[in-house]
């Protein structure tokens, strides 16, 4: 059974997501312990926290999956897989059609493979989801002229000031999200752009691409004093900018514009007490809804593609179910072939070239016999002819 446990921006604000993400981790750990789950993939972004689990022992009415928290979504089987396909296609993103989620899904799959908790089933599903995301973007205009969360953050800052010309911008975090923000900023006629990151080398690389300046994370206070705009997108587990920290720097923060696109949040809400204009992921929802309405026709095309690809995936799973039967049958045939060939070789050992001729002949016979069996069984699997498959299991066991 495929199980998806998640919380995302569609059912929770940023504060709720932070809290519920911890609850989801706890549910997953208890499931993992109870059922010895060794096939799972975790997806964690600023807008969502999800687990995909494959386990045939866990049942739908498992008490651990019975909860009253409306912010925790639990789906099974086809519904869960369809959600993954929609997510890979950008239909579940706050900014419909954004490309970053596809890279995040790829990263999650690669991590699961590296850590060896991605089996054949989830590998097949996620590989297909990535393919679906690519097809949707190639065959529709879902991502044409699309914007990312990062570029929307820049739009918010520009809307606040009317223009970012001659403004000093501080970007905290040089990861993927920070990079998207910085690249959007690079198109503006800024006075200066500074990039801070805990790993200084990473900040240097990004700043170089932007003709900006990398700063040491420990020097953050100095640059917070002079910034007009602060955009933060780190992976820190707790806020790195608070009212207390700002008060230690000074007390004149009227007009400072901060955008927090991290989850958990980088900037605590109490900074607003100092006159700071603070926006976070929740403030992006209005822009996201506008974007969604603009892409309705493209979404319809994307849904058609998702449906077609989903049917193909189900066919491939039906084929996978009989692969063991076919593999066992082929192995049995090969054993018989080799035994009978050896008997014949003894009898024909005095004939020049007979060994090779006989080996080729017996291989050809097995291939021809197996061809129709292989073809007909796969066809039966596609057509859900369970009695035929059961009979094959009985005959060829």
């Amino acid at each position: 059974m495929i199980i998806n446990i998640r919380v995302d921006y569609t059912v929770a604000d940023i504060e709720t997501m932070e809290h519920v993400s911890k609850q989801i981790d706890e549910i997953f750990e208890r499931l993992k312990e109870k059922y010895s789950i060794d096939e799972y993939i975790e997806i964690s972004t600023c807008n969502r926290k999800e687990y995909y689990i494959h386990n045939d022992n866990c049942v739908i009415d498992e008490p651990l999956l019975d909860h009253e928290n409306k912010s925790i979504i639990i789906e099974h089987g086809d519904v869960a897989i369809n959600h993954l396909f929609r997510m890979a296609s950008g239909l579940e993103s706050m900014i419909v059609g954004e490309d970053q989620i596809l890279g995040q899904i790829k990263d999650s799959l690669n991590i699961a493979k590296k850590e060896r908790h991605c089996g054949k089933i989830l590998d097949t599903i996620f590989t297909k989801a990535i393919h679906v995301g690519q097809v949707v973007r190639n065959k529709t205009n879902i991502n044409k002229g699309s914007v990312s969360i990062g570029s929307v953050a820049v739009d918010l800052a520009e809307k606040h000031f009317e223009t970012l010309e001659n403004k000093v911008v501080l970007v905290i975090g040089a990861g993927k999200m920070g990079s998207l923000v910085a690249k959007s900023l690079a198109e503006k006629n800024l006075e200066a752009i500074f990039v801070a990151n805990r790993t200084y080398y990473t900040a240097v690389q990004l700043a170089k691409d932007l003709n900006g300046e990398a700063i040491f994370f420990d020097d953050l206070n100095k640059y917070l004093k002079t910034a007009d705009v602060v955009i933060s997108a780190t992976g820190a587990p707790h806020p790195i900018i608070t009212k207390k920290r700002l008060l230690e720097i000074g007390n004149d923060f009227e007009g400072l514009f901060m955008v927090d696109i991290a989850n958990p949040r980088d900037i605590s809400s109490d900074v607003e007490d100092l006159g700071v204009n603070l926006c976070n992921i929740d403030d992006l929802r209005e822009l996201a809804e506008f974007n969604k309405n603009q892409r309705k026709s493209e979404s319809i095309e994307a849904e058609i593609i998702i449906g077609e690809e989903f049917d193909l995936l189900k066919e491939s799973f039906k084929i996978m179910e009989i692969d063991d039967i076919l593999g066992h049958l082929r192995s049995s045939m090969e054993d018989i072939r080799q035994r009978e060939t050896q008997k014949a070789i003894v009898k024909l050992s005095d004939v020049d070239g007979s060994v090779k001729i006989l080996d080729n002949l017996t291989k050809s016979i097995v291939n021809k016999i197996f061809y129709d069996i292989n073809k007909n069984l796969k066809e039966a699997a596609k057509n859900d002819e369970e009695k035929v498959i059961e009979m094959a299991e009985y005959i060829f066991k």
Side-chain angles (χ1 to χ4, degrees):
M1 181 170 68
I2 301 297
I3 306 169
N4 173 233
I5 309 173
R6 71 179 186 270
V7 60
D8 60 35
Y9 76 96
T10 63
V11 292
D13 58 26
I14 185 68
E15 184 175 359
T16 305
M17 270 197 286
E18 289 172 11
H19 177 68
V20 174
S21 291
K22 295 175 183 175
Q23 289 182 277
I24 287 176
D25 286 335
E26 290 170 7
I27 292 172
F28 170 71
E29 288 301 327
R30 291 170 70 186
L31 281 172
K32 186 179 178 183
E33 183 178 355
K34 183 174 181 178
Y35 292 102
S36 300
I37 292 170
D38 57 7
E39 188 174 359
Y40 64 90
I41 295 177
E42 177 184 357
I43 301 172
S44 184
T45 76
C46 62
N47 279 326
R48 66 185 67 255
K49 175 64 173 283
E50 306 201 14
Y51 282 101
Y52 268 86
I53 300 166
H54 172 242
N55 187 277
D56 290 329
N57 297 319
C58 185
V59 292
I60 292 176
D61 57 356
E62 161 59 47
L64 289 174
L65 298 177
D66 185 17
H67 63 89
E68 296 180 357
N69 191 329
K70 293 181 180 179
S71 295
I72 298 178
I73 302 170
I74 298 178
E75 294 177 335
H76 310 84
D78 291 357
V79 177
I81 296 170
N82 187 64
H83 165 71
L84 178 63
F85 283 13
R86 286 176 51 81
M87 183 164 56
S89 301
L91 299 185
E92 294 287 346
S93 296
M94 181 179 284
I95 308 301
V96 174
E98 58 97 1
D99 293 329
Q100 191 182 10
I101 185 62
L102 192 56
Q104 290 165 334
I105 291 173
K106 289 178 184 177
D107 289 345
S108 296
L109 174 61
N110 290 333
I111 289 169
K113 285 181 176 180
K114 186 177 180 180
E115 296 178 354
R116 299 187 176 182
H117 50 77
C118 176
K120 185 177 180 181
I121 298 296
L122 285 185
D123 189 9
T124 301
I125 292 172
F126 268 69
T127 300
K128 185 66 169 179
I130 292 166
H131 169 72
V132 171
Q134 292 168 336
V135 171
V136 166
R137 286 168 175 80
N138 287 334
K139 291 189 175 181
T140 73
N141 293 317
I142 196 76
N143 65 333
K144 297 298 184 290
S146 70
V147 288
S148 67
I149 294 291
S151 60
V152 170
V154 174
D155 289 345
L156 277 175
E158 192 166 36
K159 185 178 179 181
H160 175 77
F161 286 108
E162 294 187 358
T163 177
L164 291 178
E165 188 173 350
N166 299 320
K167 299 297 181 185
V168 175
V169 180
L170 171 60
V171 177
I172 307 173
K176 288 188 176 180
M177 188 64 78
S179 297
L180 288 171
V181 171
K183 285 172 184 175
S184 295
L185 285 168
E187 300 169 4
K188 313 299 179 183
N189 188 22
L190 303 172
E191 180 179 324
I193 179 170
F194 299 101
V195 181
N197 196 66
R198 289 197 183 277
T199 305
Y200 180 66
Y201 174 75
T202 307
V204 170
Q205 290 297 106
L206 180 57
K208 184 179 178 181
D209 292 340
L210 305 169
N211 293 319
E213 181 181 339
I215 64 172
F216 288 103
F217 207 81
D218 291 343
D219 292 336
L220 210 51
N221 287 1
K222 173 184 172 183
Y223 290 88
L224 281 169
K225 281 183 182 179
T226 59
D228 297 303
V229 179
V230 176
I231 301 180
S232 195
T234 77
H238 49 71
I240 58 174
I241 300 175
T242 61
K243 177 181 177 180
K244 181 181 177 182
R245 180 172 190 166
L246 291 182
L247 284 173
E248 290 171 355
I249 300 170
N251 55 14
D252 183 17
F253 292 99
E254 288 286 342
L256 175 59
F257 189 79
M258 289 186 166
V259 184
D260 185 356
I261 50 177
N263 183 13
R265 286 171 293 179
D266 281 342
I267 306 171
S268 62
S269 57
D270 59 7
V271 300
E272 292 181 292
D273 297 342
L274 304 178
V276 172
N277 293 282
L278 174 63
C279 292
N280 58 34
I281 291 171
D282 293 337
D283 298 301
L284 304 181
R285 294 176 190 271
E286 186 178 338
L287 284 170
E289 191 61 30
F290 174 77
N291 175 270
K292 183 178 179 180
N293 291 331
Q294 292 288 96
R295 297 175 188 279
K296 275 186 178 177
S297 61
E298 301 302 326
S299 297
I300 293 170
E301 287 186 44
E303 293 281 12
I304 294 170
I305 294 169
I306 289 169
E308 292 170 348
E309 293 290 341
F310 184 76
D311 289 342
L312 290 174
L313 177 70
K314 290 184 76 171
E315 275 193 11
S316 68
F317 274 138
K318 290 173 184 176
I319 301 279
M320 284 172 65
E321 288 177 4
I322 63 162
D323 276 346
D324 288 341
I325 301 173
L326 293 170
H328 180 71
L329 174 59
R330 182 80 195 210
S331 179
S332 298
M333 284 185 170
E334 181 62 18
D335 288 342
I336 294 168
R337 184 192 75 79
Q338 289 189 19
R339 285 199 303 271
E340 296 305 313
T341 300
Q342 287 303 316
K343 290 178 185 178
I345 285 171
V346 172
K347 296 177 182 178
L348 299 172
S349 58
D350 59 337
V351 180
D352 292 339
S354 61
V355 173
K356 185 175 181 180
I357 292 170
L358 190 59
D359 191 56
N360 289 339
L361 172 65
T362 53
K363 280 183 180 178
S364 176
I365 292 170
V366 168
N367 287 338
K368 287 175 180 175
I369 294 172
F370 189 71
Y371 176 82
D372 285 335
I373 295 171
N374 182 70
K375 177 185 174 184
N376 293 336
L377 269 179
K378 286 186 176 180
E379 199 64 38
K382 288 180 182 179
N383 297 328
D384 292 320
E385 297 176 28
E386 293 182 8
K387 288 185 178 180
V388 174
I389 295 169
E390 287 173 5
M391 186 63 71
E393 285 178 329
Y394 176 77
I395 294 171
F396 300 125
K397 65 181 178 180

